[in-house]
Amino acid sequence: MRLNKIFNKGYLYATSAAFLFGAMPLMTRVLYTMGFDSLSCAFYRMSLMLVVMLAFNYFVTKQNLKLSFSDAKRYFFVALFFALNALTLFASYNYIESGVATSIHFVYPAITFVAAGLLYKRKPSNVDIFCIVASMLAIYIIMDFKKMNNVAGVVLSLASAFAFSAYGLLLERFKFENKSALVKLFYVNLFSAVIIFVYSLFQPKGIYVPSKDLNAWLLVIIYAFFVTLGGTLLFQQAICAIGATYSSLICTSEIVVSIILGFIFLSENLSIKQLIAIILIIMSTVVLILSKAKNKN
């Protein structure tokens, strides 16, 4: 039986995005060791794939790139919160451990869940409630409150959660159905890159340029490719297919990937608490997907 006959492919998009995003904290920390900072990582993530997307559209998809003033405003607001999410989350890594920052950031599914219910007057099902409670319980279990010893880091991580929720909800509301997935990704990243560049002009260090360090350029290009043309594209597709709430819930499994990668590559401890959290997150993801597949059939 074909996969799209079982459940909406949006769930596959969200799961795939979670795996790619799960590697982002590790890759960001490696870039930090090469001289990059939160501002430069955010900028290069948004900007480096713009030429690739333009070329692909010119030679392959050949979509009309013209925007109405109304759509331009909408893209700007989506991009504003997308840029704020990247800036605040990456900046939090400078104050608290990336794992701690990520765990705080992952309250965004709960924020999205509540906000969507209020905005769209959606009544959650028992399965929805179970999944959000299970995933948030998992986040609570793995939160190391002792390491939340820097107010700036905690505030920045929490701000990234609110910004990411707003980004997802706005993208779901606007949809931009007259544009292909790649064109939507292009404009969100274009506006985000401009916002971050303007912001950098008022910062002492500005955007870091690795000069003639080919290894640094190669790594940041790979980073931008997987995060933008991988994780971000898939997440945006998931939102358009299944909405911001379910996309956010499934993307909680991103933290499972981060924990496992930290254990493998950084020799970080894998505690009983983390194992319980991993089980809860996987369980909530599987239950959500299977329940939607059952309802579809």
Side-chain angles (χ1 to χ4, degrees):
M1 185 179 291
R2 292 177 61 184
L3 189 62
N4 60 2
K5 294 290 185 181
I6 302 174
F7 61 89
N8 191 311
K9 59 186 176 182
Y11 296 100
L12 181 62
Y13 292 149
T15 304
S16 302
F19 276 96
L20 290 170
F21 280 144
M24 188 174 68
L26 177 62
M27 295 178 70
T28 304
R29 288 173 65 177
V30 173
L31 288 173
Y32 279 9
T33 65
M34 304 182 80
F36 294 90
D37 56 14
S38 59
L39 184 62
S40 56
C41 284
F43 176 74
Y44 289 123
R45 169 190 170 182
M46 310 296 182
S47 63
L48 286 180
M49 290 299 108
L50 291 175
V51 174
V52 176
M53 287 185 275
L54 271 179
F56 188 84
N57 184 70
Y58 182 80
F59 291 107
V60 182
T61 56
K62 299 182 179 181
Q63 284 268 313
N64 185 355
L65 294 178
K66 291 183 179 179
L67 284 183
S68 66
F69 181 70
S70 175
D71 273 351
K73 287 194 299 182
R74 291 176 176 180
Y75 274 115
F76 173 80
F77 282 111
V78 172
L80 176 63
F81 287 105
F82 186 51
L84 285 174
N85 162 68
L87 286 172
T88 51
L89 181 60
F90 290 167
S92 70
Y93 297 163
N94 293 319
Y95 300 97
I96 54 179
E97 292 183 5
S98 61
V100 177
T102 302
S103 64
I104 298 172
H105 168 75
F106 268 98
V107 301
Y108 80 80
I111 297 170
T112 305
F113 185 82
V114 173
L118 294 173
L119 290 172
Y120 305 123
K121 294 180 171 52
R122 294 173 181 166
K123 185 178 180 181
S125 67
N126 291 333
V127 171
D128 294 343
I129 294 172
F130 168 80
C131 291
I132 192 67
V133 169
S135 61
M136 289 303 101
L137 178 60
I139 300 302
Y140 176 80
I141 289 172
I142 61 175
M143 279 188 177
D144 192 338
F145 293 97
K146 292 181 180 178
K147 292 183 179 179
M148 295 182 192
N149 52 7
N150 187 288
V151 175
V154 173
V155 170
L156 285 168
S157 300
L158 194 57
S160 75
F162 279 94
F164 198 72
S165 297
Y167 153 69
L169 288 167
L170 285 174
L171 190 62
E172 177 186 358
R173 181 171 182 175
F174 296 148
K175 285 189 180 295
F176 307 105
E177 293 177 347
N178 60 326
K179 299 295 182 183
S180 70
L182 203 65
V183 171
K184 286 185 281 189
L185 181 68
F186 172 78
Y187 277 116
V188 170
N189 278 270
L190 175 63
F191 280 99
S192 296
V194 171
I195 290 168
I196 292 172
F197 179 75
V198 172
Y199 173 78
S200 72
L201 297 177
F202 299 93
Q203 303 305 305
K205 294 182 180 180
I207 294 170
Y208 173 70
V209 179
S211 188
K212 297 179 181 180
D213 189 343
L214 295 180
N215 289 331
W217 278 116
L218 178 61
L219 184 61
V220 78
I221 289 171
I222 294 172
Y223 173 78
F225 176 83
F226 280 103
V227 174
T228 299
L229 293 182
T232 305
L233 178 60
L234 288 166
F235 185 72
Q236 290 184 3
Q237 284 291 86
I239 289 175
C240 292
I242 60 176
T245 301
Y246 295 139
S247 298
S248 298
L249 272 172
I250 293 173
C251 273
T252 310
S253 56
E254 172 187 333
I255 202 166
V256 174
V257 179
S258 295
I259 290 172
I260 293 173
L261 290 179
F263 173 72
I264 295 172
F265 294 105
L266 301 177
S267 300
E268 294 178 351
N269 293 327
L270 186 59
S271 65
I272 298 298
K273 283 185 177 182
Q274 289 176 320
L275 288 173
I276 294 172
I278 288 172
I279 292 170
L280 283 170
I281 290 171
I282 293 175
M283 182 174 63
S284 67
T285 301
V286 171
V287 167
L288 178 65
I289 292 175
L290 291 179
S291 71
K292 300 308 172 185
K294 183 178 179 180
N295 291 339
K296 185 177 180 179
N297 294 328

